[in-house]
Amino acid sequence: MSNLPYAADAESPLKPAELQVLRAQYEKEGDYVGIQTKFNYAWGLIKSNTRPDQQEGVRLLSEIFRGAPERRRECLYYLALGNYKLGNYGEARRYNDLLLEKEPANLQAASLGSLIDEKVAKEGLMGIAIVGGLAVAAGVVGSLIVKGARRR
Protein backbone atom coordinates (compact mmCIF):
# COMPACT_ATOMS: atom_id res chain seq x y z
CA MET A 1 0.00 0.00 0.00
CA SER A 2 1.37 3.39 -0.96
CA ASN A 3 1.75 6.15 1.58
CA LEU A 4 0.48 8.79 -0.83
CA PRO A 5 -2.57 10.67 0.47
CA TYR A 6 -5.91 10.50 -1.24
CA ALA A 7 -6.80 13.56 -3.29
CA ALA A 8 -9.28 14.75 -0.66
CA ASP A 9 -6.33 15.24 1.71
CA ALA A 10 -5.13 18.10 -0.46
CA GLU A 11 -8.34 19.99 0.29
CA SER A 12 -7.40 20.45 3.95
CA PRO A 13 -4.69 23.13 4.11
CA LEU A 14 -1.96 23.15 6.70
CA LYS A 15 -2.34 25.59 9.55
CA PRO A 16 -0.44 28.83 8.84
CA ALA A 17 2.05 27.97 11.60
CA GLU A 18 2.69 24.54 10.06
CA LEU A 19 3.31 26.01 6.62
CA GLN A 20 5.57 28.63 8.20
CA VAL A 21 7.72 25.87 9.74
CA LEU A 22 8.17 24.31 6.28
CA ARG A 23 8.87 27.72 4.72
CA ALA A 24 11.42 28.61 7.42
CA GLN A 25 13.29 25.33 6.92
CA TYR A 26 13.27 25.82 3.14
CA GLU A 27 14.57 29.38 3.43
CA LYS A 28 17.16 28.40 6.08
CA GLU A 29 18.71 25.84 3.72
CA GLY A 30 18.92 28.51 0.98
CA ASP A 31 20.98 27.54 -2.05
CA TYR A 32 21.71 24.15 -0.50
CA VAL A 33 18.10 23.16 0.14
CA GLY A 34 17.65 19.42 0.42
CA ILE A 35 15.24 17.57 -1.83
CA GLN A 36 13.13 16.39 1.10
CA THR A 37 12.87 19.92 2.53
CA LYS A 38 11.90 21.27 -0.87
CA PHE A 39 9.42 18.45 -1.37
CA ASN A 40 7.80 19.00 2.05
CA TYR A 41 7.47 22.73 1.41
CA ALA A 42 6.03 22.13 -2.08
CA TRP A 43 3.41 19.76 -0.65
CA GLY A 44 2.48 22.30 2.02
CA LEU A 45 2.07 24.93 -0.69
CA ILE A 46 -0.13 22.65 -2.80
CA LYS A 47 -2.38 22.03 0.20
CA SER A 48 -2.85 25.80 0.55
CA ASN A 49 -6.08 27.47 -0.47
CA THR A 50 -4.25 30.32 -2.20
CA ARG A 51 -3.49 30.08 -5.89
CA PRO A 52 -0.01 31.68 -5.72
CA ASP A 53 1.04 29.13 -3.08
CA GLN A 54 -0.31 26.29 -5.21
CA GLN A 55 1.52 27.62 -8.27
CA GLU A 56 4.78 27.86 -6.32
CA GLY A 57 4.27 24.31 -5.05
CA VAL A 58 3.85 23.01 -8.61
CA ARG A 59 6.94 24.97 -9.70
CA LEU A 60 9.06 23.45 -6.91
CA LEU A 61 7.78 19.94 -7.66
CA SER A 62 8.62 20.44 -11.33
CA GLU A 63 12.19 21.29 -10.32
CA ILE A 64 12.40 18.14 -8.20
CA PHE A 65 10.90 16.07 -11.01
CA ARG A 66 13.54 17.30 -13.45
CA GLY A 67 16.49 17.18 -11.06
CA ALA A 68 15.89 14.10 -8.92
CA PRO A 69 15.01 10.99 -10.96
CA GLU A 70 14.59 8.93 -7.79
CA ARG A 71 11.65 11.16 -6.76
CA ARG A 72 9.85 11.24 -10.12
CA ARG A 73 7.23 8.65 -9.25
CA GLU A 74 6.25 10.50 -6.10
CA CYS A 75 6.34 13.84 -7.93
CA LEU A 76 3.95 12.57 -10.61
CA TYR A 77 1.14 12.24 -8.10
CA TYR A 78 1.74 15.57 -6.42
CA LEU A 79 2.13 17.37 -9.75
CA ALA A 80 -1.18 15.85 -10.83
CA LEU A 81 -2.78 16.92 -7.56
CA GLY A 82 -1.36 20.45 -7.72
CA ASN A 83 -2.49 20.94 -11.30
CA TYR A 84 -5.92 19.58 -10.39
CA LYS A 85 -6.26 22.17 -7.63
CA LEU A 86 -5.18 24.90 -10.04
CA GLY A 87 -7.80 23.79 -12.57
CA ASN A 88 -5.18 22.64 -15.09
CA TYR A 89 -7.05 19.40 -15.73
CA GLY A 90 -5.17 18.45 -18.89
CA GLU A 91 -1.83 18.64 -17.08
CA ALA A 92 -3.28 16.91 -14.04
CA ARG A 93 -4.55 14.06 -16.21
CA ARG A 94 -1.21 13.79 -18.04
CA TYR A 95 0.79 13.40 -14.80
CA ASN A 96 -1.80 11.10 -13.27
CA ASP A 97 -1.90 8.89 -16.37
CA LEU A 98 1.90 8.61 -16.32
CA LEU A 99 1.72 7.41 -12.73
CA LEU A 100 -1.06 4.95 -13.54
CA GLU A 101 1.07 3.53 -16.38
CA LYS A 102 3.79 2.77 -13.83
CA GLU A 103 1.40 1.69 -11.06
CA PRO A 104 -1.96 0.54 -12.46
CA ALA A 105 -3.17 -0.52 -9.01
CA ASN A 106 -2.38 2.83 -7.33
CA LEU A 107 -5.62 3.66 -5.51
CA GLN A 108 -4.68 7.28 -4.86
CA ALA A 109 -4.01 7.91 -8.55
CA ALA A 110 -7.24 6.12 -9.48
CA SER A 111 -9.14 8.29 -7.00
CA LEU A 112 -7.55 11.44 -8.39
CA GLY A 113 -8.30 10.30 -11.95
CA SER A 114 -11.98 10.03 -11.04
CA LEU A 115 -11.97 13.52 -9.53
CA ILE A 116 -10.30 14.95 -12.64
CA ASP A 117 -12.85 13.24 -14.90
CA GLU A 118 -15.75 14.53 -12.77
CA LYS A 119 -14.45 18.11 -12.89
CA VAL A 120 -13.88 17.99 -16.64
CA ALA A 121 -17.37 16.57 -17.20
CA LYS A 122 -18.97 19.12 -14.85
CA GLU A 123 -17.16 22.06 -16.41
CA GLY A 124 -17.89 20.71 -19.86
CA LEU A 125 -21.60 20.52 -19.03
CA MET A 126 -21.48 24.03 -17.58
CA GLY A 127 -19.83 25.25 -20.77
CA ILE A 128 -22.50 23.56 -22.87
CA ALA A 129 -25.22 25.11 -20.69
CA ILE A 130 -23.69 28.57 -21.04
CA VAL A 131 -23.36 28.23 -24.81
CA GLY A 132 -26.90 26.84 -24.99
CA GLY A 133 -28.21 29.72 -22.89
CA LEU A 134 -26.46 32.23 -25.14
CA ALA A 135 -27.94 30.57 -28.22
CA VAL A 136 -31.46 30.77 -26.73
CA ALA A 137 -30.94 34.42 -25.80
CA ALA A 138 -29.66 35.21 -29.29
CA GLY A 139 -32.69 33.45 -30.77
CA VAL A 140 -35.09 35.46 -28.59
CA VAL A 141 -33.38 38.75 -29.45
CA GLY A 142 -33.31 37.78 -33.13
CA SER A 143 -37.02 36.97 -33.17
CA LEU A 144 -37.83 40.28 -31.43
CA ILE A 145 -35.82 42.16 -34.04
CA VAL A 146 -37.57 40.31 -36.87
CA LYS A 147 -41.02 40.97 -35.33
CA GLY A 148 -40.12 44.62 -34.86
CA ALA A 149 -39.01 44.92 -38.46
CA ARG A 150 -42.26 43.34 -39.73
CA ARG A 151 -44.37 45.83 -37.80
CA ARG A 152 -42.77 48.75 -39.55
Side-chain angles (χ1 to χ4, degrees):
M1 180 71 155
S2 174
N3 63 350
L4 297 176
Y6 284 90
D9 181 48
E11 298 301 325
S12 56
L14 296 178
K15 293 179 177 118
E18 293 170 328
L19 184 57
Q20 185 52 41
V21 167
L22 296 174
R23 179 178 286 120
Q25 183 64 38
Y26 175 79
E27 290 171 353
K28 177 182 167 190
E29 293 182 24
D31 291 338
Y32 302 101
V33 66
I35 291 173
Q36 189 62 49
T37 298
K38 187 184 237 185
F39 187 88
N40 292 345
Y41 181 46
W43 174 232
L45 290 168
I46 283 174
K47 287 177 66 83
S48 171
N49 287 332
T50 67
R51 189 169 180 84
D53 282 354
Q54 294 164 356
Q55 290 170 324
E56 179 67 2
V58 167
R59 187 188 69 74
L60 292 173
L61 284 170
S62 295
E63 287 177 6
I64 295 168
F65 184 82
R66 287 190 303 274
E70 71 279 6
R71 298 299 292 264
R72 284 190 179 147
R73 184 203 66 75
E74 193 174 20
C75 283
L76 284 172
Y77 178 78
Y78 292 107
L79 283 165
L81 199 52
N83 278 290
Y84 168 77
K85 286 190 74 173
L86 288 168
N88 301 332
Y89 303 124
E91 284 295 294
R93 183 177 279 145
R94 186 171 67 90
Y95 287 119
N96 202 58
D97 286 350
L98 285 170
L99 179 55
L100 285 169
E101 282 177 24
K102 295 177 186 302
E103 298 180 13
N106 186 310
L107 297 177
Q108 291 87 353
S111 169
L112 180 55
S114 294
L115 288 175
I116 293 167
D117 291 344
E118 287 171 21
K119 277 285 193 182
V120 168
K122 181 180 175 185
E123 290 192 6
L125 289 175
M126 285 174 46
I128 290 169
I130 290 169
V131 169
L134 290 174
V136 169
V140 170
V141 170
S143 70
L144 292 175
I145 291 171
V146 169
K147 285 182 182 178
R150 286 185 184 157
R151 290 185 182 156
R152 292 184 186 166

